[in-house]
Amino acid sequence: MTQRTVYVNGDYVAEQDAKVSVFDRGFLFADGVYEVCSVLEGKLIDFPGHMRRLKRSAGELEMGLPWDDDALLTIHRELTRRNALEEGMVYLQLTRGSAGDRDFHYPGADTPPTLVLFTQAKSLVDSRSGREGIRVATQPDWRWARRDIKTVQLLYPAMAKMAATAAGADDAWMVEDGLVTEGASNNAWMLTHDGTLVTRELSHAILPGITRTVVLELAQALSLRVEERPFSVEEAQGARECFVTSASSFVTPVIAIDDVPVAGGRPGEVARKLREAYIEESRRRAV
Ligand code: PMP
């Protein structure tokens, strides 16, 4: 990969020169939040939604965010331009910064936060998982109880993905009390045989996906019945279709859950339609 330009606390620097303190609370305590915005044709997808959620995440943790949407949009655009990014993602991380030592207590409110952004080039529209679907393996949801906040505590999702890969799957679906919470890095959906689209309702148990919100709107526009409620692994295995949504995977069909084929082991028609509609709508609304 050619060398990237990375944004760190006001500066655009070569990636090997991008540095933060070893005392940064993001490093020591996972005291940080993040967002991932996709880029298509050099433009940002669902940018206002991602910034709204960033503000909410920071607010829930009493973390300062001394940049407004315009300033953050300028940084996203400048980084996209400097890296000539046509398709891929912009990753943003905000941490509570460094008080110069390790201390569980939050530092004073005058401690500057750390803001880092970098780009990742990736083919998103034309992807194998989008075309062929993915196989998921279930894992217990052993994350903390505030999954609605998009923190950088991603060790458990990484463990769940590793376990799913070891089981021969592409990704993990997490399960609590017999019910699917969400994917390791996406929201989980199923379509019942009577044509009702089901995804878990928002609560502290799952991340409020930005893609999830747009797909709910698109489903309504396509006259699909929608229910926001939890569902079990068995119900999903017997569903007409299953899929996942996220900023970088859009709508991706799920073709097997714990080796049980879903929808005959092929991507479903509704998932395909929603994926196309999401990409079209995203291109239209990109900034
Ligand atoms: N749930 C989890 C746990 C995630 O990590 C993600 C990806 N950020 C999502 C859902 C999907 O959210 P979005 O559509 O905003 O990418």
Side-chain angles (χ1 to χ4, degrees):
M1 196 193 291
T2 53
Q3 195 188 71
R4 278 174 291 191
T5 296
V6 167
Y7 175 92
V8 188
N9 293 329
D11 296 321
Y12 295 89
V13 295
E15 60 181 48
Q16 78 270 19
D17 299 325
K19 299 202 168 66
V20 297
S21 166
V22 295
F23 299 114
D24 193 279
R25 293 182 62 90
F27 180 62
L28 295 178
F29 296 107
D31 189 356
V33 296
Y34 74 109
E35 281 297 331
V36 178
C37 255
S38 282
V39 171
L40 287 182
E41 292 157 10
K43 288 187 174 173
L44 297 152
I45 306 303
D46 294 336
F47 182 79
H50 286 284
M51 292 307 105
R52 256 196 308 278
R53 186 173 62 191
L54 176 66
K55 266 177 271 179
R56 179 181 182 278
S57 295
E60 290 296 303
L61 300 174
E62 298 167 50
M63 196 182 286
L65 177 59
W67 292 269
D68 62 15
D69 278 14
D70 281 350
L72 292 169
L73 180 59
T74 301
I75 300 169
H76 276 80
R77 282 182 168 157
E78 183 59 16
L79 204 61
T80 302
R81 190 189 68 75
R82 287 188 190 226
N83 290 285
L85 183 68
E86 279 298 308
E87 191 162 328
M89 294 89 82
V90 180
Y91 174 90
L92 174 157
Q93 180 167 331
L94 172 79
T95 80
R96 205 182 303 274
S98 158
D101 202 355
R102 184 173 183 271
D103 180 356
F104 278 74
H105 296 94
Y106 294 174
D110 55 344
T111 305
T114 300
L115 181 66
V116 169
L117 286 88
F118 56 80
T119 55
Q120 295 181 290
K122 194 176 175 199
S123 181
L124 303 177
V125 173
D126 184 25
S127 75
R128 201 172 87 109
S129 51
R131 268 193 318 274
E132 298 176 10
I134 58 167
R135 306 168 63 84
V136 300
T138 59
Q139 296 294 323
D141 197 335
W142 284 342
R143 297 172 299 163
W144 77 329
R146 287 303 305 273
R147 302 157 191 159
D148 56 311
I149 309 172
K150 197 165 168 65
T151 75
V152 297
Q153 307 176 70
L154 294 175
L155 178 57
Y156 187 69
M159 288 168 69
K161 277 189 197 260
M162 291 303 289
T165 307
D170 304 296
D171 204 352
W173 268 18
M174 295 186 283
V175 178
E176 191 169 60
D177 302 329
L179 301 169
V180 176
T181 50
E182 57 188 330
S185 59
N186 44 55
N187 289 111
W189 302 68
M190 62 162 219
L191 180 74
T192 66
H193 286 281
D194 72 1
T196 305
L197 205 49
V198 183
T199 194
R200 196 172 173 122
E201 77 281 9
L202 297 185
S203 69
H204 288 180
I206 64 166
L207 187 80
I210 304 304
T211 319
R212 174 189 181 281
T213 301
V214 178
V215 169
L216 281 173
E217 289 164 15
L218 293 171
Q220 252 128 35
L222 292 173
S223 304
L224 287 163
R225 248 193 330 276
V226 173
E227 268 176 31
E228 292 181 69
R229 64 163 173 87
F231 53 85
S232 68
V233 176
E234 295 70 30
E235 192 181 6
Q237 284 170 327
R240 170 142 41 118
E241 293 183 27
C242 287
F243 61 88
V244 294
T245 57
S246 76
S248 57
S249 71
F250 306 153
V251 176
T252 296
V254 168
I255 57 167
I257 303 170
D258 288 341
D259 292 324
V260 175
V262 175
R266 284 183 307 275
E269 199 51 33
V270 170
R272 192 187 56 73
K273 257 194 214 148
L274 285 170
R275 181 180 174 87
E276 277 175 14
Y278 178 77
I279 292 170
E280 193 184 306
E281 180 71 3
S282 295
R283 284 208 164 104
R284 209 172 57 71
R285 299 204 308 207
V287 297

